[in-house]
Amino acid sequence: MTPTNVIDIAGIRVGGDAPFMLITGPCQLESLDHARMMAERIAEACAPSGTRFVFKASYDKANRSSIGTARGLGMEKGLTILAKIREEFGCPVLTDVHEAAHCAPAAEAAVDILQIPAFLCRQTDLLLAAGETGAAINVKKGQFLAPWDMANVAKKIASTGNSRIMLCDRGTSFGYNTLVSDFRGLPIMAATGHPVVFDATHSIQQPSGRGTTSGGQREFAPVLARAAVAVGVSALFIETHQDPDNAPSDGPNMIPVDEMESLITDLRRYDDLTKGR
């Protein structure tokens, strides 16, 4: 895959031939105690392989399947929790933003990476507001977009003078309630020069597959993650939870946190081989 530019995220080199950065955490924030527990478990899972991680969790899931599905703790409480996790664990943090007005407060609360959800990846005002914060931006490729279309998305953000852009593949719509991963898209997006992220857990999602909630096949997430690392991605996005089957959202996609250490160690071996280390 074409080597990409290197960007710095709180001291972590992302892109080029740097080891993959892991973006991981629960789908949505549940409480400060839960976030602390998850961050501690993730840090323990990453330590043996020396993998650098970004703690991710959403304060609001504004694109849920049903009106009755849990959305999260809200922006004010959620940003307070993320700031505490960043301070206590010394790790960068990431959260979704859904509206232009959310971008500046999130960045001011020390969120290192603002994430643009796939459904919103062409919303110009949102992209510009995110770029203007100066924070790193992770844009998820819409399930409806071709990988080469992401060059236009990146240019919108770059027009603000912010070059700290990552492009993330999370699968492409394939019929109803199904996604498929086309790994040709990873080097195509890397040709823009921006680091490429592969979202292994949302790529096996079955959107609205359970009627009022989304389904998923988490057993295939490690398979896709290994394939993406073999291609040479700059970062991996893997959601995790201590009890996925009882998580408030995206449970069918998340990897049990007890399984993360062996998975991360395995992925680092693939990464070392791919990048010649």
Side-chain angles (χ1 to χ4, degrees):
M1 192 160 76
T2 304
T4 68
N5 299 329
V6 176
I7 63 176
D8 180 274
I9 298 176
I12 303 176
R13 292 178 67 250
V14 185
D17 62 355
F20 73 81
M21 179 181 70
L22 180 63
I23 301 171
T24 187
C27 178
Q28 66 174 256
L29 288 165
E30 299 176 32
S31 68
L32 175 57
D33 286 344
H34 183 261
R36 279 176 172 148
M37 181 273 292
M38 288 301 304
E40 183 175 3
R41 299 281 293 275
I42 289 165
E44 291 170 352
C46 289
S49 62
T51 299
R52 303 292 299 274
F53 75 94
V54 174
F55 182 82
K56 70 80 46 189
S58 300
Y59 57 76
D60 182 20
K61 304 299 292 185
N63 55 358
R64 300 295 82 189
S65 297
S66 168
I67 190 66
T69 305
R71 286 183 53 170
L73 300 177
M75 185 167 68
E76 183 177 356
K77 188 172 183 179
L79 292 178
T80 299
I81 291 173
L82 288 170
K84 288 182 178 179
I85 294 300
R86 186 182 194 276
E87 179 182 1
E88 293 176 15
F89 290 88
C91 61
V93 295
L94 172 152
T95 195
D96 297 296
V97 287
H98 296 90
E99 300 178 21
H102 292 183
C103 296
E108 290 166 4
V111 171
D112 299 275
I113 306 173
L114 302 182
Q115 181 163 278
I116 309 297
F119 289 139
L120 301 177
C121 70
R122 289 179 55 169
Q123 296 298 108
T124 302
D125 289 345
L126 177 59
L127 295 171
L128 296 179
E132 288 167 356
T133 67
I137 312 298
N138 184 38
V139 191
K140 291 200 174 184
K141 182 184 78 65
Q143 300 92 322
F144 46 86
L145 281 188
W148 46 85
D149 292 332
M150 289 299 284
N152 290 328
V153 173
K155 286 178 181 177
K156 290 183 180 181
I157 300 171
S159 73
T160 68
N162 186 345
S163 61
R164 303 175 68 217
I165 302 166
M166 298 182 289
L167 304 179
C168 180
D169 193 300
R170 53 131 315 148
T172 301
S173 294
F174 186 74
Y176 299 124
N177 305 121
T178 304
L179 300 172
V180 66
S181 292
D182 180 1
F183 288 97
R184 296 174 300 179
L186 302 178
I188 289 171
M189 291 197 296
T192 64
H194 301 297
V196 172
V197 183
F198 182 73
D199 180 345
T201 42
H202 285 95
S203 291
I204 50 84
Q205 187 183 58
Q206 295 168 321
S208 301
R210 294 184 172 184
T212 58
T213 60
S214 292
Q217 296 174 295
R218 73 169 68 97
E219 66 271 21
F220 293 120
V223 177
L224 297 186
R226 285 193 289 269
V229 171
V231 173
V233 292
S234 299
L236 283 172
F237 182 108
I238 301 176
E239 288 189 335
T240 185
H241 195 274
Q242 87 283 0
D243 185 12
D245 291 332
N246 290 298
S249 66
D250 275 353
N253 311 314
M254 289 194 281
I255 302 296
V257 72
D258 287 342
E259 299 176 13
M260 287 292 284
E261 181 178 329
S262 62
L263 175 59
I264 294 166
T265 301
D266 188 29
L267 292 171
R268 279 299 300 271
R269 294 191 185 107
Y270 278 78
D271 190 60
D272 287 344
L273 180 63
T274 300
K275 295 174 181 172
R277 286 189 294 279

